[in-house]
Structure formats: structure tokens, C-alpha cells
Amino acid sequence: MLEGQVVIITGSAGGIGRHDAKPFAGEGGGVVVADVKPLDTISGELAAREVDYLAVPTDVRDENAVRNLVDKTLERFGRIDVLVNNAAIVTHFQWGLPHWPRIRDMEKDFWDRVIGTNLGGTFNCTKHVLPTMEAQRSGHVVSTMGGSSSIGGCAYGVSKDAIRSFTRFVANEEREFDVCVVAVSPGAQIATEEAPDEARARMPGPDFVGNRFVLAAQVPMELSGELLNLEDGKLVPSQRR
């Protein structure tokens, strides 16, 4: 169903975003990878698969950078069918890394960087793909969900809870244009290639995510606004509100 479609994946230099690029590439459409980190590794992997791809260095906190990302995508492919909002600053406490400061000890600049990347980046990217999707009267906006109840995880948890609400509100705004807006849980705490060896030995890696984001890019409008979990190979609405 995604043949010939064009997907933008933010935060795709590594981790879940890098993993996601490969199943989307297998669908035969255009893949645009974007990250503030170097994109050499994922670019090499996509080139080896002879995928029609575009790599655009992008800081999702910067609206001008996001505007450039969208412009370059349209110049190259002429359309945008799927946006995966994956760029995020993540706690990674489960890797055994130090906890972030409690709110009473947290610098405002740190708070702003987390919220600006996770929530602000989702806002910027969604805002700038919507005019194209509305004109096409089709499209999927898929945001990676997560959460934290650990001490020190407030900034991350707040950003993800806000993305859940953002998903519901934007879904309502875009329903008349047949643009489907959902959030997707990766299903577990993930140890990416940047995790310590000990963490990667005991935790699932990005491959655990499977094809759930490809499936999310095909869900019907009836599921727009939902947080989706993968159960028995199908995406279903979460009970989490």
C-alpha cells in the first residue's frame, strides 16, 4: 500500500529512526532521513539497498531547518505521504546512565532543550508537512511515543504526554482532509547502538520495533488520534489515556 509513497523520518541517524528507514525503504517509495547527528551510516545502508533516498541534516527545534527539510523533499520527490516524528532527547535510565536532575535542580536551558526537541520538533515538522498533505487530501503523521515515571524523567515524560495530546487535537483538525494522525508505542525500552554493551545484552534492540511504523502509515482514518500498540501483528488502540 506504500508503493511510490514518500516518507520523512526524523531522528534517523540511529536507534529506532535508523531501523524504521529500512522497512519503509522496502516498500519501494522515497525515504528522507533527517537528524542533527551525522547521517553517514544510514545513508550508506540505504545506498547499499539501492533505495531512492535523501539525507537532510536537520535540527527539528529550528523551524527554518524544518522548512528546508520539507522544501528539499518536495523538490526531490514532489509529494510527502508519511511523516515519522521520531527525533527526541531520551532519558536512557534503563541503560544504567545517570538520572537527569530533579525539577528543583534542573537548569532551564536543559528543560527547554528537551521540550524544544521532543515536543517543539514534533510541532515544527507536523506544521510544515500538513499543507502538502492537505492538498493531496491524504497522509499519515506518526509520532513515536514513550514515557517515564522515574525520578529525573519529568522533562521527557511531560514532552511525551504532550505529544499524546497534540496527536488527538491535530487529528481532529485534519480529519476533513483525510490526514491520519497517530502515535505509536515502540513496545519496550530499547537499547540502541549507542547503549553500553551491558544494556544491549539484556534489553531489546531497535529490531524489536519491527514494522509497526510501516503499519501505522497505513492505518485507516478511524484510528486517527489514537495511541497504537502492536498486538498479534496488528496495531490496536492503547488503553492509556
Side-chain angles (χ1 to χ4, degrees):
M1 291 179 62
L2 293 178
E3 184 175 356
Q5 294 196 5
V6 176
V7 56
I8 296 174
I9 307 170
T10 67
S12 44
I16 291 174
R18 176 184 167 198
H19 166 80
D20 283 346
K22 298 168 191 176
F24 274 109
E27 296 294 322
V31 178
V32 181
V33 289
D35 207 309
V36 71
K37 297 178 181 179
L39 290 159
D40 298 348
T41 299
I42 184 59
S43 294
E45 291 170 344
L46 294 175
R49 294 172 178 237
E50 299 184 347
V51 172
D52 194 3
Y53 81 96
L54 176 67
V56 185
T58 307
D59 182 347
V60 296
R61 296 175 297 175
D62 182 345
E63 187 170 11
N64 287 329
V66 172
R67 186 179 290 111
N68 175 67
L69 167 64
V70 171
D71 288 347
K72 286 188 178 301
T73 300
L74 292 173
E75 288 170 9
R76 173 69 172 272
F77 295 107
R79 62 184 298 117
I80 300 170
D81 299 286
V82 182
L83 166 67
V84 178
N85 284 313
N86 178 69
I89 299 174
V90 184
T91 56
H92 296 317
F93 301 156
Q94 297 294 325
W95 295 4
L97 300 184
H99 282 221
W100 292 354
R102 297 168 65 173
I103 288 298
R104 71 179 188 188
D105 302 318
M106 184 177 289
E107 296 291 336
K108 179 64 160 49
D109 287 348
F110 184 86
W111 173 272
D112 288 345
R113 186 161 64 91
V114 174
I115 300 298
T117 301
N118 300 6
L119 179 58
T122 297
F123 165 81
N124 283 333
C125 295
T126 303
K127 171 184 174 179
H128 285 283
V129 302
L130 284 179
T132 297
M133 291 183 176
E134 288 181 1
Q136 295 169 175
R137 301 199 71 84
S138 67
H140 282 74
V141 175
V142 182
S143 297
T144 305
M145 275 298 292
S148 176
S149 58
S150 301
I151 292 176
C154 180
Y156 177 74
V158 166
S159 73
K160 290 299 183 176
D161 283 349
I163 289 171
R164 176 72 189 97
S165 294
F166 179 84
T167 297
R168 288 198 299 266
F169 278 100
V170 180
N172 287 336
E173 293 178 358
E174 295 302 312
R175 205 171 300 277
E176 66 179 294
F177 299 102
D178 289 330
V179 176
C180 185
V181 186
V182 296
V184 176
S185 168
Q189 295 278 350
I190 301 296
T192 73
E193 60 270 38
E194 296 180 342
D197 290 344
E198 181 276 332
R200 284 189 283 134
R202 62 179 167 79
M203 296 174 65
D207 289 351
F208 178 85
V209 172
N211 70 338
R212 70 186 66 206
F213 285 86
V214 170
L215 294 176
Q218 303 174 72
V219 297
M221 285 298 299
E222 288 79 6
L223 292 180
S224 193
E226 295 286 352
L227 168 59
L228 303 175
N229 289 328
L230 187 66
E231 296 182 6
D232 298 324
K234 296 182 180 180
L235 287 175
V236 298
S238 170
Q239 298 303 310
R240 174 183 168 189
R241 292 295 174 185

